[in-house]
């Protein structure tokens, strides 16, 4: 039985057996008793590491035994393990030669929090979004067969990830191509929040549904007078269950189904995987696990302990110094959640939609207060967008709360189902810009670029908390598709006006009047723009809208300044700065323009400040870059002040 921990170890735990494992080959020589000891040591070490660095750990605790069993049975890395999402791969990283690097997890120049091909040859497929593992593993299996290479390919898929259509597309294709593929369905009834439509929930609902219950009870009543009734009803009930059971569903898709088995029974996992290792064709192993297994607080609260913040050491006690208490700043997600509730009170047509990100998007209060108007569609971004389109057709006012990086998965639906029909859908784009430790897979680096090219779209980039609230209201009141992008975390602390007012569509506002240089800011880098402007005596415009863009303000600034600087936390390619450049060209205005934004490469993980500094979007580098451009233009700073 797995050892249960009640707290995060503050000092490195004693792990003598784990310390002998520098690669998976080392654990293949261990017997079953040693593997059980290894599981306890692996859990203890992972808890210690996450306490030091922060990060995801509930999912990893849940697959500790599975990870050991997979590397014990299969000849990794020659055999391919393809992990879904990546939250569950910390034990995998520890066992594949990265144990001593774990304290650098999610930090600048350290290990990624997700599988990353450039980091290790044991990371066979890079991943940040869910539901990709079966497709990728099938592709690997097909390529191996084409090249006549004998290896086993295993996809590890959570039941939460199985809610996405992409997973079923891959399952359907796998049976068609008939290649050797093992899918491990890790069923813990969780993704980040509790699953909606997860397999086990689906089956339990189906078997207790009104239709099924009525059929069962009416059948019993009708046959109550017949001697053979009880046996017939029992056999009928068993048949009905069999036709909707996991066995039937997956075997109808062409998979040989095994399970469900206890995913924390390590000897059973090793025995079962050993038997399946040489089985030909498509096989699905269904295991039942508990997210957060082995850490009591996480077992009791798997949602709250999905991830953990870094645990800071307690400071040495010193004589008390009374300091004024600073009011905690609200996160942008809280600003959105409060607005959503306030708007729902005013308009009964409002419906809030999320693809499995209720907690992360700040929708918990809305879900509790307005349950009949809250829709969590599970990990199904495409469905979320088209669902909203259908609602809008019938007069509802859908608000789709979705991470910027996840909306990329529903781009076709955004164009075809919403924009072409000019439907009244508001997109609240969370995690816009860089997101710190989660790195490139989760960064909202491209939403301005991919949204502003779509006809009928209104695209807004607020600079602070109050603008976020007011622009959400502006987008909601606008008739047609609109998007408001805002970042992760807290803002500058702007006073939030409870009274909501629609801002003039496509109109920016001047924040500082200067001379020579005009900075056109799009989004939450406004504080840096104002800081730089103080040194340069530059003008600063808070543009607010990317589309429609404020052409009148751009023309005015161009007529009064010698250099325009656009500033955004979005890809320069196709971004807000490009919109400014296109407008100037359209008007025949020729003047120097400096575009500052995200570069044409993926920005690696680190904290947000480190990321901005690494790409030149911190205040000091912005200033230096502008001064360098002025020098190239033979416009000394002193001459334009």
């Amino acid at each position: 039985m797995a050892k249960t921990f009640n707290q995060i170890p503050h000092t490195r735990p004693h792990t003598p057996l784990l310390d002998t494992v520098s690669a998976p080959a080392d654990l293949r020589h261990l017997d079953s008793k040693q593997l059980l000891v290894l599981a306890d040591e692996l859990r203890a070490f992972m808890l210690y590491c996450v306490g030091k660095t922060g990060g995801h750990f509930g999912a990893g605790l849940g697959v500790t035994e599975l990870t050991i069993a997979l590397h014990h049975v299969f000849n990794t890395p020659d055999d391919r393990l393809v992990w879904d999402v990546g939250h569950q791969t910390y034990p995998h990283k520890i066992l594949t030669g990265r144990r001593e690097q774990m304290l650098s997890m999610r930090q600048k120049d350290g290990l990624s929090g997700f599988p990353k091909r450039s980091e290790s040859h044991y990371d066979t497929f890079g991943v940040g979004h869910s539901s990709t593992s079966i497709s990728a593993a099938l592709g690997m299996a097909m390529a191996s067969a084409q090249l006549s290479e004998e290896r086993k390919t295993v996809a590890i898929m959570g039941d939460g990830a199985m809610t996405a259509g992409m997973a079923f597309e891959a399952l359907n294709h796998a049976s068609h191509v008939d290649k050797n593929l093992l899918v491990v369905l890790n069923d813990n009834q969780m993704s980040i929040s509790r699953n909606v439509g997860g397999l086990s929930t689906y089956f339990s609902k189906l078997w207790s549904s009104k239709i099924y219950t009525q059929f069962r009870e009416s059948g019993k009543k009708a046959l109550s007078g017949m001697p053979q009734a009880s046996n017939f009803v029992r056999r009928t009930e068993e048949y009905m269950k069999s036709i909707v059971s996991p066995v039937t569903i997956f075997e109808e898709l062409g998979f040989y189904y095994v399970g469900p088995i206890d995913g924390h029974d390590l000897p059973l996992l090793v025995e079962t995987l050993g038997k399946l290792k040489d089985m030909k064709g498509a096989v699905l192993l269904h295991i039942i696990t508990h997210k957060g297994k082995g850490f009591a607080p996480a077992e009791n609260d798997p949602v709250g302990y999905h991830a953990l913040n870094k645990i800071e050491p307690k400071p040495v006690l010193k004589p008390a110094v009374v300091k004024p208490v600073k009011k905690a700043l609200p996160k942008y997600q809280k600003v959105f959640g409060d607005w959503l509730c306030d708007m729902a009170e005013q308009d009964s047509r409002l419906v809030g939609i999320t693809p499995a990100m209720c907690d992360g998007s700040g929708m918990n209060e809305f879900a509790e207060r307005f349950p009949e108007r809250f829709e969590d569609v599970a990990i199904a971004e495409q469905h979320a967008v088209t669902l909203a389109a259908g609602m809008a057709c019938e007069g509802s006012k859908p608000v789709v709360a979705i991470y910027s990086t996840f909306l990329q998965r529903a781009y076709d639906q955004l164009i075809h189902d919403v924009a072409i029909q000019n439907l009244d859908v508001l997109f609240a784009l969370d995690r816009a810009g860089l997101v710190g430790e989660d790195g490139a897979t989760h960064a909202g680096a491209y939403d301005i670029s991919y949204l502003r090219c779509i006809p009928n779209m209104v695209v807004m980039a607020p600079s602070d908390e109050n603008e976020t609230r007011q622009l959400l209201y502006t987008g909601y009141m606008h008739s047609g598709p609109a998007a408001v992008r805002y970042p992760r975390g807290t803002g500058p602390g702007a006073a939030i006006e409870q009274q909501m007012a629609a801002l003039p569509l496509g109109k920016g506002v001047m924040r500082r009047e200067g001379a020579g240089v005009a900075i056109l800011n799009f989004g939450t880098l406004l504080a840096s723009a104002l800081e730089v402007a103080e040194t340069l005596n530059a003008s600063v415009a808070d543009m607010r809208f990317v589309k429609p863009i404020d052409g009148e303000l751009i023309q005015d600034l161009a007529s009064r300044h010698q250099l325009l600087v656009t500033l955004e936390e979005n890809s320069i390619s196709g971004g807000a700065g490009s919109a400014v450049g296109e407008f100037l060209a359209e008007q025949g205005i020729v003047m120097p323009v400096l575009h500052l934004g995200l570069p044409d490469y993926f920005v690696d993980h680190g904290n947000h400040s480190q990321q901005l500094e690494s790409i030149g979007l911190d205040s000091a580098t912005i200033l230096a870059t502008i001064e360098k451009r002025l020098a190239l233009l033979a416009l000394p700073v002193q001459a334009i002040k």
Side-chain angles (χ1 to χ4, degrees):
M1 181 177 290
K3 181 179 178 182
T4 298
F5 299 87
N6 294 306
Q7 59 184 9
I8 304 291
H10 294 293
T11 58
R12 194 188 192 284
H14 185 56
T15 56
L17 187 56
L18 177 62
D19 293 345
T20 67
V21 179
S22 59
D26 297 327
L27 62 82
R28 294 178 194 134
H29 305 295
L30 303 180
D31 60 31
S32 57
K33 291 183 179 179
Q34 289 175 310
L35 290 178
L36 292 172
V37 173
L38 181 66
D40 287 339
E41 292 186 5
L42 182 56
R43 273 197 174 88
F45 185 75
M46 187 172 69
L47 285 168
Y48 164 73
C49 292
V50 178
K52 293 292 185 182
T53 66
H56 303 97
F57 80 119
L61 291 173
V63 297
T64 298
E65 288 84 5
L66 175 62
T67 306
I68 292 172
L70 287 168
H71 282 296
H72 180 79
V73 171
F74 292 97
N75 184 32
T76 56
D78 188 56
D79 288 335
R80 311 301 199 209
L81 300 185
V82 185
W83 296 91
D84 211 88
V85 182
H87 297 158
Q88 57 191 333
T89 55
Y90 289 16
H92 162 79
K93 288 180 180 253
I94 294 170
L95 294 176
T96 53
R98 288 167 278 183
R99 182 179 65 251
E100 299 307 321
Q101 297 172 270
M102 289 299 291
L103 293 183
S104 71
M105 178 74 70
R106 304 172 77 244
Q107 299 175 29
K108 189 175 186 296
D109 301 323
L111 293 181
S112 169
F114 301 94
K116 190 173 183 180
R117 282 171 56 83
S118 62
E119 185 177 290
S120 170
H121 54 295
Y122 289 95
D123 291 359
T124 60
F125 195 73
V127 59
H129 294 177
S130 81
S131 314
T132 60
S133 62
I134 302 177
S135 296
L138 179 59
M140 293 177 187
M142 293 171 67
S144 296
Q146 182 184 14
L147 300 173
S148 300
E149 295 176 343
E150 289 291 332
R151 62 167 54 95
K152 195 69 179 183
T153 307
V154 184
I156 303 95
M157 167 77 77
D159 62 322
M162 195 67 85
T163 62
M166 183 176 180
F168 284 92
E169 293 170 12
L171 288 171
N172 179 65
H173 187 217
S175 62
H176 173 70
V177 298
D178 191 28
K179 296 295 184 261
N180 295 332
L181 174 69
L182 172 61
V183 175
V184 178
L185 174 58
N186 174 32
D187 186 354
N188 62 15
Q189 302 184 10
M190 296 289 298
S191 47
I192 293 177
S193 302
R194 295 202 176 271
N195 280 339
V196 175
L199 287 176
S200 58
T201 304
Y202 167 73
F203 295 136
S204 64
K205 283 184 177 180
L206 188 61
W207 292 340
S208 62
S209 67
K210 185 177 181 181
I211 294 175
Y212 173 70
T213 303
Q214 286 178 342
F215 179 89
R216 180 180 61 190
E217 296 305 320
S218 62
K220 287 180 179 179
K221 183 176 180 180
L223 300 171
S224 59
M226 298 174 59
Q228 303 86 356
S230 59
N231 287 334
F232 177 78
V233 171
R234 176 180 54 80
R235 290 197 302 269
T236 302
E237 184 171 352
E238 289 175 354
Y239 175 72
M240 287 187 65
K241 283 190 174 183
S242 72
I243 65 175
V244 293
S245 71
V247 178
T248 303
I249 288 176
F250 291 117
E251 291 197 346
E252 285 297 319
L253 286 169
F255 277 75
Y256 181 78
Y257 174 88
V258 178
I261 67 171
D262 183 355
H264 299 299
D265 187 334
L266 186 48
L268 178 60
L269 281 172
V270 170
E271 180 185 2
T272 305
L273 289 170
K275 292 178 179 178
L276 299 179
K277 181 178 180 180
D278 297 321
M279 188 173 289
K280 301 298 183 181
V283 181
L284 187 138
L285 172 62
H286 185 177
I287 69 172
I288 306 297
T289 62
H290 193 156
K291 189 173 183 180
K293 179 70 174 179
F295 182 56
E299 289 187 22
N300 296 327
D301 182 13
V303 176
Y305 281 90
H306 168 69
L308 190 71
N309 291 326
K310 178 180 178 181
I311 300 175
E312 300 291 349
K314 293 182 180 180
V316 178
L317 294 178
K318 295 180 180 180
V321 177
V322 179
K323 294 182 178 181
V325 178
K326 292 184 178 179
K327 185 178 180 181
L329 298 177
K331 293 183 177 181
Y332 279 98
Q333 291 69 41
K334 177 69 163 58
V335 174
F336 165 72
D338 290 346
W339 170 83
L340 191 66
C341 290
D342 293 344
M343 199 70 241
E345 287 182 343
Q346 294 186 20
D347 191 345
S348 61
R349 298 174 300 160
L350 184 148
V351 177
I353 301 172
T354 177
M357 289 292 159
C358 176
D359 182 63
S361 293
M363 299 180 75
N364 287 341
E365 183 181 349
F366 176 81
E368 292 174 4
R369 290 176 56 186
F370 305 95
E372 73 285 355
R373 290 194 271 156
F374 170 71
E375 296 296 336
D376 186 337
V377 302
I379 303 175
E381 296 87 357
Q382 294 167 302
H383 170 59
V385 174
T386 302
L387 176 72
M391 288 182 166
C393 285
E394 300 301 324
S396 290
K397 293 278 287 186
V399 178
V400 180
I402 188 169
Y403 291 10
S404 168
T405 183
F406 295 152
L407 185 57
Q408 294 165 185
R409 309 186 84 177
Y411 195 54
D412 182 68
Q413 288 70 27
L414 180 65
I415 295 173
H416 282 257
D417 300 337
V418 176
I420 286 179
Q421 302 183 95
N422 200 27
L423 293 174
D424 202 2
V425 179
L426 175 63
F427 296 91
L429 297 191
D430 195 353
R431 269 67 167 180
L434 300 176
V435 292
E437 291 81 359
D438 280 344
T441 59
H442 283 57
Y446 312 106
D447 52 78
I448 288 178
S449 302
Y450 70 66
L451 286 174
R452 76 175 192 86
C453 63
I454 302 175
N456 293 330
M457 284 294 304
V458 170
V459 184
M460 294 165 275
S463 62
D464 59 34
E465 301 92 330
N466 185 55
E467 271 195 3
T468 299
R469 179 177 173 86
Q470 305 307 329
L471 287 177
L472 284 166
Y473 181 77
T474 303
Y476 186 83
M477 299 306 293
H478 171 71
S479 180
V484 181
R485 71 183 312 257
Y486 48 89
R488 180 183 188 178
T490 58
I496 300 176
E497 301 170 12
Q498 292 305 304
Q499 181 66 35
M500 294 182 285
L503 301 179
L505 199 66
K507 292 297 179 182
V509 61
M510 292 299 299
R511 296 295 187 187
R512 188 185 191 281
E513 289 288 355
V517 176
I519 302 175
L520 286 69
N521 175 76
F522 295 86
T524 52
L525 293 176
L526 179 63
S528 296
L530 290 170
E531 182 181 342
V532 169
E534 286 297 319
T535 300
L536 293 176
N537 187 29
S539 297
V540 176
D542 177 11
M543 298 300 292
R544 291 178 169 171
F545 292 85
V546 178
K547 184 178 184 179
I549 200 156
D550 191 342
E552 184 178 336
L553 180 55
I554 295 172
Q555 283 184 307
D556 176 61
L557 293 171
S559 69
R560 299 188 290 111
H561 298 82
Q562 296 161 290
L563 173 66
L564 298 185
V565 179
T566 64
L567 183 61
E568 62 189 303
E569 201 169 331
N570 181 87
S571 172
I572 292 175
S573 301
S578 294
V580 172
E582 290 163 12
F583 176 81
L584 292 171
E586 183 181 290
Q587 299 299 314
I589 300 173
V590 179
M591 70 174 303
V593 182
L594 172 62
H595 298 307
L596 300 179
L598 303 187
D600 190 26
Y601 58 83
F602 295 107
V603 180
D604 219 341
H605 56 276
N607 67 46
H608 188 235
S609 297
Q610 289 171 332
Q611 287 182 315
L612 291 179
E613 184 177 358
S614 71
I615 58 174
L617 288 184
D618 59 300
S619 299
T621 311
I622 291 171
L623 174 61
T625 304
I626 295 175
E627 289 180 332
K628 182 178 179 180
R629 180 57 57 91
L630 290 172
L632 288 174
L633 296 171
L635 296 171
V637 175
Q638 297 84 355
I640 64 173
K641 287 184 179 179

